[in-house]
Amino acid sequence: MDSKLRYEIEEQINKELYSAYLYLAMSNYAESEGFKGISNWFIVQAQEEIDHAMKFYKYIHEMGDTLQLNAIDKPEPKWNSITDVFENGLTHEKYVTSRIHKLMDIAHEVKDYAAISMLQWFVNEQIEEESSFRDILDGLKLTGGDINYLMMLDKELGQRVKTAPESETTKAKTA
Ligand code: FEO
């Protein structure tokens, strides 16, 4: 594998694991505010991020390469409302999307067709990732974070369960 591409995939494993850590911090915040359902939604989100990291990890090994694992940053919980949490989550997912696109650009540059095929899954996944945060955020903004809406949302997001990585759908994420 091209060394620049491998380095960026290593970086991506780190970013996906950081995402899991960040969403655990968000889950922790929701729990501390009394929203157990929202807390559950973020736990499932964190588990999904670990799946993403593992997909990259396995890919590197399938290609007969080894990798270096770097330190994961500490999340800085500075949120002051549930709306704020989802706003930050969406901003973070947009950043992850930009990282995936960067990886895709490199794969095209070095004509690595196997990497392009693997990365296409992540391009599609990021559409769903951003969309699930955006949908929740739209509801929160429309209702101004009203407590009755928050309680309804908490109940709905409490139903989210972990699905197999290959069968994730937007519906499963928000159901
Ligand atoms: Fe792994 Fe939420 O992107």
Side-chain angles (χ1 to χ4, degrees):
M1 192 186 306
D2 173 82
S3 60
K4 187 176 164 195
L5 183 60
R6 199 200 55 238
Y7 171 79
E8 290 297 339
I9 292 179
E10 280 173 357
E11 277 292 293
Q12 193 60 29
I13 290 171
N14 188 280
K15 304 292 178 199
E16 299 289 350
L17 291 174
Y18 171 76
S19 302
Y21 222 30
L22 176 67
Y23 293 144
L24 267 189
M26 290 181 173
S27 170
N28 191 46
Y29 173 82
E31 179 82 34
S32 73
E33 293 292 302
F35 296 109
K36 286 190 180 302
I38 295 171
S39 174
N40 167 71
W41 191 90
F42 276 108
I43 286 174
V44 177
Q45 188 67 26
Q47 290 168 329
E48 204 180 273
E49 299 301 349
I50 293 170
D51 286 345
H52 295 170
M54 290 309 296
K55 208 171 168 77
F56 281 116
Y57 175 88
K58 284 176 188 160
Y59 178 77
I60 288 192
H61 286 289
E62 272 166 13
M63 290 296 148
D65 241 311
T66 54
L67 71 159
Q68 183 176 303
L69 295 169
N70 298 314
I72 301 165
D73 287 344
K74 178 184 173 191
E76 296 293 346
K78 290 176 289 201
W79 317 294
N80 46 40
S81 69
I82 292 294
T83 304
D84 199 19
V85 166
F86 280 98
E87 197 117 44
N88 274 268
L90 178 59
T91 302
H92 180 69
E93 286 301 334
K94 285 180 179 172
Y95 166 68
V96 174
T97 301
S98 74
R99 288 267 333 155
I100 298 292
H101 292 177
K102 179 181 180 178
L103 279 166
M104 191 61 121
D105 284 343
I106 298 169
H108 276 282
E109 213 176 280
V110 299
K111 294 187 167 53
D112 186 331
Y113 301 111
I116 291 169
S117 170
M118 181 273 295
L119 287 166
Q120 190 57 51
W121 184 91
F122 282 97
V123 171
N124 298 338
E125 175 69 3
Q126 281 310 119
I127 296 170
E128 287 193 13
E129 290 283 81
E130 286 192 27
S131 160
S132 59
F133 272 94
R134 200 174 286 114
D135 287 351
I136 295 168
L137 199 50
D138 284 351
L140 284 166
K141 282 182 175 171
L142 269 172
T143 56
D146 170 72
I147 187 65
N148 291 321
Y149 181 77
L150 273 170
M151 285 169 74
M152 193 197 75
L153 183 69
D154 190 56
K155 202 171 168 192
E156 187 188 332
L157 300 189
Q159 291 167 27
R160 185 180 182 188
V161 290
K162 173 88 168 60
T163 52
E166 300 304 326
S167 63
E168 283 160 2
T169 65
T170 305
K171 191 166 178 287
K173 286 176 186 206
T174 53

